[in-house]
Amino acid sequence: MKGYIFDFGGTLDTAGTHWGKMLWHAYERQNIPIEEEDFRNAYVYAERELERKAIIRPESSFRETLEVKIELEFEYLSEQGLLEQTGFSLVSMQTAMLNDLYRKVKLITAESRTVLLSLKEKYPLVLVSNFYGNMNTVLVEFELDNLFDRVVESAVVGIRKPDLRIFQLGIDALALKSEDITVVGDSYSNDILPGHQLGCRTIWLKGETWKNEKDDHSAADLIISSLNDLTSE
């Protein structure tokens, strides 16, 4: 291999766990009294609102982005009559959720940084991510800036995974043949299949998924459970 394309969300920030599951487990840890199906509806609502209203600005930090997500989810749950606490109690629960999740993400991104630094000594790295337009701010926040030769972000280029064109931008940025590039991501449908279709080697960081992934894993050349496995290949 001569270069890597990495995903961000669900890969570098959660160690392979889908963000829906990351959030849900925080609800469980904080004993917030809702059912998982109701949370799933709130999660979908929040994601759609973020896309529809373009709330996140280029200068928004990851913590601020996460805070908005949680607020939108609580907004939905409250409007549906599923959270019947006082305003103060709702704010307290949101703050507890935010602190819980942000602490975990900081630990995970620090571990990811160690892996990326090791790979950076040998290979050029490019980031290809579905994100909100503030990816560069987030990379600085987690000290991941200066590790990637280029950042290809969906909100900036106007193309979202699994569209092959966004991955082609990553391949072009590396200026390598696709067969010399490894794509690393947590989503089989959004990362592994497109990478495979373009002729790249693919490594699936398989963690807890939002929905059942298909049983056919043939597009993944390698399945790992930790990014640390990349430095021991």
Side-chain angles (χ1 to χ4, degrees):
M1 291 297 101
K2 297 180 180 179
Y4 279 87
I5 292 175
F6 275 89
D7 169 55
F8 181 80
T11 300
L12 300 181
D13 58 352
T14 72
T17 298
H18 188 281
W19 256 104
K21 285 294 186 178
M22 281 285 287
L23 283 155
W24 169 242
H25 292 320
Y27 277 84
E28 291 181 308
R29 288 192 297 272
Q30 298 302 322
N31 297 311
I32 297 175
I34 61 167
E35 300 296 324
E36 185 174 5
E37 188 60 33
D38 293 324
F39 159 72
R40 283 176 170 264
N41 292 332
Y43 176 83
V44 171
Y45 166 81
E47 290 298 316
R48 288 175 177 170
E49 286 294 286
L50 282 172
E51 185 175 351
R52 184 175 69 88
K53 294 182 178 179
I55 300 169
I56 306 303
R57 311 308 304 167
E59 64 274 12
S60 298
S61 68
F62 189 93
R63 184 181 176 89
E64 290 166 340
T65 303
L66 185 55
E67 184 175 19
V68 171
K69 281 176 177 271
I70 294 169
E71 286 176 355
L72 287 169
E73 290 171 6
F74 272 63
E75 174 185 294
Y76 173 88
L77 293 167
S78 296
E79 289 177 353
Q80 298 298 314
L82 299 168
L83 281 178
E84 298 180 355
Q85 303 289 325
T86 66
F88 179 78
S89 295
L90 289 177
V91 170
S92 298
M93 285 193 288
Q94 289 178 46
T95 300
M97 283 271 296
L98 176 62
N99 291 335
D100 177 326
L101 283 162
Y102 191 68
R103 183 168 53 249
K104 288 182 70 67
V105 169
K106 286 197 72 174
L107 290 172
I108 293 169
T109 51
E111 293 173 357
S112 296
R113 182 176 184 274
T114 300
V115 173
L116 292 171
L117 282 169
S118 178
L119 293 174
K120 182 68 175 174
E121 294 178 357
K122 300 178 181 179
Y123 310 103
L125 310 177
V126 164
L127 190 72
V128 176
S129 178
N130 284 348
F131 219 69
Y132 308 101
N134 61 327
M135 190 77 264
N136 286 322
T137 300
V138 169
L139 292 177
V140 172
E141 182 179 2
F142 294 129
E143 299 183 27
L144 299 175
D145 55 317
N146 300 321
L147 290 176
F148 298 101
D149 292 61
R150 185 178 171 192
V151 174
V152 182
E153 182 181 4
S154 62
V156 174
V157 301
I159 311 169
R160 288 182 61 83
K161 299 178 185 180
D163 193 314
L164 297 183
R165 292 176 298 168
I166 194 169
F167 281 97
Q168 188 61 54
L169 290 174
I171 292 171
D172 294 344
L174 285 168
L176 296 169
K177 296 178 181 179
S178 59
E179 58 263 33
D180 293 331
I181 297 170
T182 297
V183 172
V184 182
D186 71 298
S187 172
Y188 187 81
S189 58
N190 278 358
D191 300 312
I192 304 309
L193 275 177
H196 175 76
Q197 289 168 1
L198 287 169
C200 299
R201 182 178 184 233
T202 57
I203 298 180
W204 185 14
L205 177 60
K206 188 178 180 183
E208 192 173 6
T209 58
W210 176 242
K211 54 187 176 182
N212 292 329
E213 295 278 11
K214 58 188 296 185
D215 291 333
D216 176 17
H217 301 156
S218 60
D221 293 300
L222 182 65
I223 299 175
I224 60 175
S225 58
S226 169
L227 284 181
N228 289 321
D229 295 338
L230 295 177
T231 57
S232 61
E233 278 196 277

